[in-house]
Amino acid sequence: MTSLTFHRLRAVAGRPAAAPLASLVAGAVGAAYLWGTDPHEHGHWLPRCPLNWATGLLCPACGATRMVYDLMHGDLTAAFHDNRLLLLASPVGLYLYGRWVFEGLRGRAYHPRLHKYGQVAVLATALAWGIARNAV
């Protein structure tokens, strides 16, 4: 009986729509929690950046949770202040995420590919942003 249930779950999880739908549900739960929790204040369950905790430095993604909170509450200026680069790059990420969900719901897998020069450009930009925001 357990083996049959496991095989059914594995078959459902292997469908192209399973991961996008699971991420939508997890994102909705996270957004609902974040809506009522101000990450600018202490005393919440939101984790601290491990790099910031260990070194005191800001990683390239530090401020992302505060940025999303500010965007959800309509404060674009505060979101820009929290993490400029991530805010400016978010339309690309949202497009890729939306395409992944759309293709998954259509029953097709979507695997975007980034050329090695594109990967180097993304990593170099993240590294430069991490250095620049800690130099100030």
Side-chain angles (χ1 to χ4, degrees), residues 45-126:
W45 289 0
L46 299 170
R48 185 173 173 194
C49 172
L51 180 72
N52 183 266
W53 173 81
T55 66
L57 298 173
L58 297 172
C59 79
C62 275
T65 304
R66 293 187 305 272
M67 180 192 78
V68 171
Y69 174 84
D70 291 334
L71 285 174
M72 287 184 357
H73 287 84
D75 193 350
L76 189 60
T77 305
F80 186 76
H81 176 73
D82 291 330
N83 195 323
R84 292 164 182 81
L85 182 66
L86 214 53
L87 181 65
L88 295 174
S90 62
V92 175
L94 288 172
Y95 167 77
L96 292 172
Y97 179 73
R99 178 90 187 267
W100 178 59
V101 170
F102 179 74
E103 294 296 334
L105 293 176
R106 293 182 68 198
R108 301 185 329 204
Y110 176 65
H111 303 287
R113 303 281 185 244
L114 187 61
H115 194 272
K116 65 180 178 179
Y117 297 117
Q119 294 174 10
V120 169
V122 168
L123 291 174
T125 302

Side-chain angles (χ1 to χ4, degrees), residues 15 21-23 25 86 91 112:
R15 294 184 180 163
L21 289 175
S23 72
V25 170
L86 214 53

